Amino acid sequence: MATIVLKPDTNTYQKILSYYQGFAEKKQVPHAQLFAKKGTTAVTIYNSGKVMFQGPAAEKEAQQWDSSPQASNASGTATAAKKKSAAAKPGLPAGFSQLSVIGSDEVGNGSYFGPLVVCAAYAPKEKLAELKALGVRDSKELTDLQIKQIASQLEGLIDYQLLVVTPEKYNAVQPKYNAVHMKVVLHNQAISLLLAKIAPTKPDAILIDQFTPEGNYRKYLAAEKNQVSEKIYFITKGEQYHLAVAAASILCRASFLNELAEESAEVGLQLPSGAGAKSDQVASRILKKGGLELLGKYAKLHFANTQKAQNSLK
């Protein structure tokens, strides 16, 4: 069954919505304004501004509305550019973007305040068109508000496993585990738990947004009891090669933002993301308020920001 997803301009979107009102079905589709059936073609009009056409005549039906080159055949092949990119990337099978994949990513590793969050998300091939229609893509291209909105929509759509390491927990284990080792442990655990959650279903592949060379990852993995080592691929900017990584990235970021907001409310200060000068200033205020013990509840103490904040108080 062919699937076509369009992202029309606002004017065309309204025309599509008006046109298919006459073909509307009673079926309720999450996050959609309208579900319609015209002949053998199902049309889903999403709140995100995207429109999905499904059925043997989907391409023909979509063509009358497509005035841009942005449409993609989500059940067959991606756009020519994306297909070429995936096929040309060393180590990834041809057509990788259309497989059922577990993707994993992390957020918070470079932020002084807030937790380290790792997420593994399973995007089966039959859900890829819907994920695209919801606006799932690289979280760096989305605003914080968009990330939170899409994350809430993903919760009932796909299976995923979040692991949140609070600053307090991070500081407790950091002397034993360096940053890379810690992330290897967390990615492996998240993927392992997700595999158990979706069993007996098995993904076609597992894609980790690469943060260290594969050999280094497997070196640290060797020390783990429950090792997930088969069908794993490592690619930087993994969200460009499969929506599973993009979904994991969005879920990670949303969780990080929520945790940071809760910690800010608890300490009574706005905790910034990142590790810049603003973080130094906030750290100094927390040190004045409750010393290193209080700071350790909200910050990753091995960062250079801690020493800078201490020096500023001398």
Side-chain angles (χ1 to χ4, degrees):
M1 180 177 69
T3 300
I4 303 294
V5 177
L6 300 182
K7 180 64 187 294
D9 58 50
T10 303
N11 186 45
T12 304
Y13 178 85
Q14 291 300 327
K15 288 181 179 179
I16 293 173
L17 185 61
S18 176
Y19 176 80
Y20 288 105
Q21 289 285 357
F23 302 93
E25 298 274 318
K26 291 183 178 180
K27 178 182 176 181
Q28 297 294 314
V29 177
H31 321 301
Q33 287 202 51
L34 182 73
F35 175 77
K37 196 76 178 288
K38 182 183 176 184
T40 60
T41 304
V43 182
T44 309
I45 304 173
Y46 287 93
N47 298 325
S48 65
K50 295 190 177 183
V51 184
M52 181 167 67
F53 300 83
Q54 292 179 299
E59 188 172 358
K60 182 179 179 180
E61 187 68 26
Q63 279 178 350
Q64 63 180 314
W65 305 106
D66 183 25
S67 59
S68 73
Q70 308 235 346
S72 65
N73 185 331
S75 69
T77 59
T79 61
K82 288 187 177 180
K83 181 180 179 182
K84 181 179 178 181
S85 175
K89 188 68 182 178
L92 283 184
F96 187 86
S97 65
Q98 298 305 308
L99 300 179
S100 295
V101 171
I102 285 179
S104 70
D105 199 4
E106 82 281 335
V107 170
N109 182 63
S111 181
Y112 180 56
F113 290 109
L116 170 61
V117 184
V118 172
C119 180
Y122 177 52
K125 56 187 176 182
E126 61 269 18
K127 294 286 182 72
L128 295 178
E130 193 167 355
L131 289 173
K132 186 177 179 65
L134 286 178
V136 173
R137 59 185 187 276
D138 185 356
S139 63
K140 298 179 185 66
E141 298 176 0
L142 302 168
T143 65
D144 288 349
L145 179 59
Q146 288 174 319
I147 285 170
K148 290 178 180 180
Q149 290 174 337
I150 295 174
S152 68
Q153 295 169 344
L154 289 174
E155 289 177 1
L157 180 61
I158 60 172
D159 290 303
Y160 64 92
Q161 180 66 54
L162 270 173
L163 297 178
V164 180
V165 182
T166 65
E168 202 165 15
K169 177 65 174 177
Y170 183 99
N171 292 326
V173 301
Q174 188 273 326
K176 181 180 178 181
Y177 294 91
N178 63 40
V180 172
H181 190 176
M182 193 184 303
K183 286 191 288 185
V184 170
V185 171
L186 292 169
H187 276 268
N188 180 69
Q189 185 180 2
I191 293 167
S192 179
L193 290 170
L194 181 56
L195 284 170
K197 188 180 291 186
I198 67 173
T201 300
K202 293 184 178 181
D204 297 320
I206 298 168
L207 182 61
I208 296 176
D209 194 43
Q210 190 169 10
F211 55 87
T212 191
E214 181 177 349
N216 205 36
Y217 182 96
R218 294 190 182 277
K219 180 188 73 174
Y220 287 122
L221 183 66
E224 297 303 299
K225 290 183 179 179
N226 299 315
Q227 300 175 23
V228 181
S229 58
E230 296 181 0
K231 297 183 178 180
I232 292 186
Y233 298 87
F234 302 84
I235 295 291
T236 56
K237 299 182 179 179
E239 65 280 348
Q240 297 181 5
Y241 298 95
H242 203 281
L243 289 176
V245 177
S249 176
I250 289 170
L251 289 163
C252 272
R253 181 67 180 169
S255 176
F256 174 83
L257 291 171
N258 290 335
E259 292 286 332
L260 196 64
E262 290 179 10
E263 291 176 9
S264 296
E266 185 178 291
V267 75
L269 293 168
Q270 183 61 50
L271 302 177
S273 178
K278 193 171 182 180
S279 295
D280 300 340
Q281 297 165 7
V282 174
S284 295
R285 295 178 66 182
I286 296 176
L287 282 172
K288 286 181 181 178
K289 189 175 182 178
L292 204 59
E293 182 178 352
L294 181 62
L295 182 61
K297 291 183 178 181
Y298 306 104
K300 304 174 182 75
L301 294 180
H302 72 99
F303 277 43
N305 303 79
T306 302
Q307 188 62 54
K308 291 178 182 178
Q310 290 174 323
N311 291 341
S312 72
L313 296 179
K314 293 180 182 178

